[in-house]
């Protein structure tokens, strides 16, 4: 018997009979084929020129794989479901996270940005995926987030409590040393902290400045869990690169974000997640806070759109979670469209725009020669309505088919 190989990371393929949404032109284009070599798109050619054995996509709409910019594979919220995750041993947690990574990839998310994971397991998971030991998306990670003593997320192993500028500097350096691609700060309260409010400021100006300055010196961008406008404005003035949630933006602060090229990951689904909360046994106080924040959260999102802030996809909930008839990541995209972005703008916010923020747009985010063959396919046109993504039935990462419900190779 021959040796059993690791999971292939790069493949060769030709895809034909498709409608291409490449992220460069606004309308789907037919009559083309994608030629993939060693995991990378080698050429986009007329379908008639595709002479190799090809995967016939039966007229499906093909677009870049989704890039989810707010992911937690080790998420443990208050309640019975979260308590079970928090109680996992390190080895059990690693297996749990590996399963989440696999399911995330199968849901059509080919790249994630992890923004607070427990105990360094995200770095091990990234290495395991890259080595072909387990299937999963490409991972960019912040490692553990930095918070103040008693701050947002302090009671789990996915944060480090840092008080004062020196501690913040050490916190940033500690995550960079482990391999963090970015830094995550908890600068205000949020939904999941029982003894805080969304509006609670949690880092001093000096602490934020130290963390941001240190991260930038090491070539890392900084994103921040943030709710109130005043706290966000102060962080933006100090050089913050991205805001998570942004529950209470004002028009003025949204304009400041746009002027400073600060992105927003709105995570609209987290204030519209009753069924998810019920699944996990979330306590009443958190449910009330979350659902009660929904109208202001949507208003804040619309301020960002009106100001021209760069909007990026992020689900916060596990991307693969079975939620309201689809996955959590698709439900987030539907909320983004319903909240004011066009379907094409939502698709950009889920592909090309995150790739730019990650400084990875030479590798992911569009379907063009030289980019990884990370793509998804579905029967209906997502440029007309992002709800078409409910029909994802084909996923490829690096030229390797990882999900194929309908296709045949001829």
């Amino acid at each position: 018997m021959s040796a059993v190989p690791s999971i292939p990371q790069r493949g060769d393929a030709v895809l034909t009979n498709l409608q291409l949404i490449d992220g460069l032109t606004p309308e789907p284009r037919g009559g083309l084929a994608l030629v993939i070599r060693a995991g990378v798109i080698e050429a986009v050619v007329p379908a008639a020129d595709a002479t190799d054995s090809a995967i016939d996509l039966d007229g499906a709409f093909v677009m870049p794989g989704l890039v989810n910019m707010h992911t937690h594979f080790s998420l443990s919220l208050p309640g019975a479901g979260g308590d079970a995750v928090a109680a996992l041993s390190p080895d059990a947690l690693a297996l749990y996270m590996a399963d989440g990574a696999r399911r995330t990839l199968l849901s059509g998310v080919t790249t994630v940005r992890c923004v607070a994971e427990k105990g360094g397991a995200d770095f091990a998971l990234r290495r395991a995926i890259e080595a072909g030991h387990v299937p999963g998306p490409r991972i960019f990670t912040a490692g553990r987030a930095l918070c103040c003593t008693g701050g947002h997320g302090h009671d789990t192993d996915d944060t480090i409590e840092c008080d004062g500028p020196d501690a913040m500097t050490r916190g940033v350096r500690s995550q960079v040393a482990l391999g963090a691609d970015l830094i995550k700060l908890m600068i205000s309260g949020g939904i999941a902290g029982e003894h805080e409010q969304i509006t609670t400021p949690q880092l001093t100006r000096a602490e934020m400045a130290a963390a941001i300055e240190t991260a930038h010196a090491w070539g890392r961008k900084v994103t921040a869990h943030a709710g109130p406008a005043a706290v966000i404005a102060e962080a933006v003035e100090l050089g913050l690169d991205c805001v998570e949630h942004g529950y209470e933006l004002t028009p003025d602060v949204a304009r400041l974000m746009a002027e400073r090229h600060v992105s927003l990951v709105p995570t609209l689904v987290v204030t519209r997640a009753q069924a998810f909360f019920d699944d996990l046994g979330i306590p009443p106080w958190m449910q009330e806070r979350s659902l009660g924040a929904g109208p202001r959260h949507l208003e804040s999102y619309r301020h960002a759109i009106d100001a021209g802030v760069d909007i990026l996809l992020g689900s916060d909930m596990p991307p693969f979670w079975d939620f309201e008839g689809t996955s959590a990541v698709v439900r987030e995209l539907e909320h983004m469209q319903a909240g004011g972005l066009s379907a094409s703008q939502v698709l950009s916010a889920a592909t090309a725009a995150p790739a730019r923020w990650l400084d990875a747009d030479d590798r992911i985010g569009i379907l063009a020669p030289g980019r990884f063959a990370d793509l998804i396919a579905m029967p209906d046109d997502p440029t007309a309505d992002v709800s078409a993504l409910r029909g994802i039935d084909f996923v490829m990462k690096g030229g390797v088919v990882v999900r194929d419900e309908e296709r045949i190779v001829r």
Side-chain angles (χ1 to χ4, degrees):
M1 184 173 118
S2 61
V4 178
S6 298
I7 298 168
Q9 297 301 295
R10 297 194 174 208
D12 298 336
V14 177
L15 306 182
T16 190
N17 192 9
L18 55 87
Q19 297 289 321
L20 180 63
I21 304 167
D22 59 10
L24 297 171
T25 56
E27 301 296 330
R29 294 183 294 150
L32 299 171
L34 292 176
V35 180
I36 298 159
R37 295 284 180 264
V40 173
I41 298 172
E42 181 179 82
V44 180
V45 302
D49 294 345
T51 56
D52 293 347
S53 177
I55 299 175
D56 186 335
L57 292 180
D58 195 27
F61 292 84
V62 174
M63 62 171 281
L66 303 176
V67 181
N68 192 328
M69 295 285 277
H70 194 119
T71 306
H72 303 281
F73 287 128
S74 56
L75 180 69
S76 58
L77 295 171
D83 290 346
V85 175
L88 292 173
S89 63
D91 49 352
L93 179 65
L95 292 171
Y96 175 83
M97 291 174 66
D99 180 63
R102 177 188 64 85
R103 296 167 73 184
T104 293
L105 177 60
L106 294 178
S107 73
V109 178
T110 54
T111 299
V112 298
R113 189 185 68 165
C114 296
V115 285
E117 301 289 4
K118 290 182 171 55
D122 45 324
F123 301 112
L125 178 60
R126 181 174 64 188
R127 290 191 296 269
I129 292 171
E130 291 174 349
H133 298 158
V134 296
R138 305 184 194 281
I139 293 178
F140 293 79
T141 186
R144 296 165 71 186
L146 309 184
C147 69
C148 66
T149 295
H152 188 74
H154 75 280
D155 50 352
T156 70
D157 192 30
D158 55 14
T159 60
I160 304 173
E161 291 178 305
C162 302
D163 295 317
D166 288 348
M168 279 289 166
T169 296
R170 285 193 298 272
V172 170
R173 290 172 179 164
S174 74
Q175 297 312 289
V176 171
L178 290 171
D181 303 290
L182 65 141
I183 296 298
K184 167 83 173 287
L185 304 178
M186 305 296 202
I187 67 173
S188 80
I191 286 170
E194 185 173 9
H195 303 298
E196 65 188 26
Q197 298 298 320
I198 288 174
T199 55
T200 307
Q202 294 193 347
L203 297 187
T204 67
R205 184 180 184 88
E207 288 169 335
M208 287 191 287
I212 293 169
E213 180 180 350
T214 303
H216 287 174
W218 285 83
R220 301 322 194 260
K221 291 181 178 177
V222 181
T223 194
H225 165 101
V231 172
I232 293 170
E234 186 172 36
V236 169
E237 289 168 352
L238 292 170
L240 185 70
D241 301 293
C242 188
V243 171
E244 309 297 308
H245 314 301
Y247 297 116
E248 298 183 359
L249 292 175
T250 63
D252 286 346
V253 174
R255 283 191 291 271
L256 178 64
M257 288 175 62
E259 290 167 3
R260 301 292 180 90
H261 305 290
V262 178
S263 301
L264 172 68
V265 181
T267 67
L268 294 172
V269 74
V270 301
T271 54
R272 291 152 180 79
Q274 179 74 67
F276 175 64
F277 293 157
D278 291 343
D279 288 343
L280 295 183
I282 298 295
W285 65 262
M286 180 175 163
Q287 295 208 30
E288 291 168 7
R289 187 184 302 172
S290 171
L291 301 175
R296 182 66 178 88
H297 192 188
L298 182 59
E299 178 186 351
S300 177
Y301 172 66
R302 288 173 172 160
H303 290 327
I305 293 173
D306 292 344
V309 173
D310 198 24
I311 308 291
L312 310 176
L313 166 66
S315 63
D316 203 347
M317 288 172 57
F320 55 81
W321 201 269
D322 185 5
F323 181 67
E324 297 183 347
T326 185
S327 65
V329 70
V330 171
R331 198 70 189 94
E332 175 68 18
L333 292 167
E334 291 175 333
H335 283 307
M336 291 168 71
Q337 182 177 343
L341 290 181
S342 69
S344 292
Q345 288 172 324
V346 172
L347 297 185
S348 178
T351 55
R356 287 193 299 271
W357 195 95
L358 293 167
D359 295 323
D361 49 331
D362 59 338
R363 290 166 282 161
I364 62 172
I366 63 172
L367 298 180
R371 270 65 172 192
F372 286 128
D374 295 353
L375 55 88
I376 56 179
M378 64 223 75
D380 298 318
D381 182 4
T383 68
D385 189 331
V386 297
S387 290
L389 288 157
R390 289 178 174 240
I392 293 170
D393 56 15
F394 182 92
V395 180
M396 172 180 278
K397 178 194 168 197
V400 178
V401 177
V402 296
R403 176 180 173 186
D404 186 358
E405 297 179 6
E406 302 290 339
R407 317 300 171 201
I408 59 171
V409 179
R410 59 170 171 81

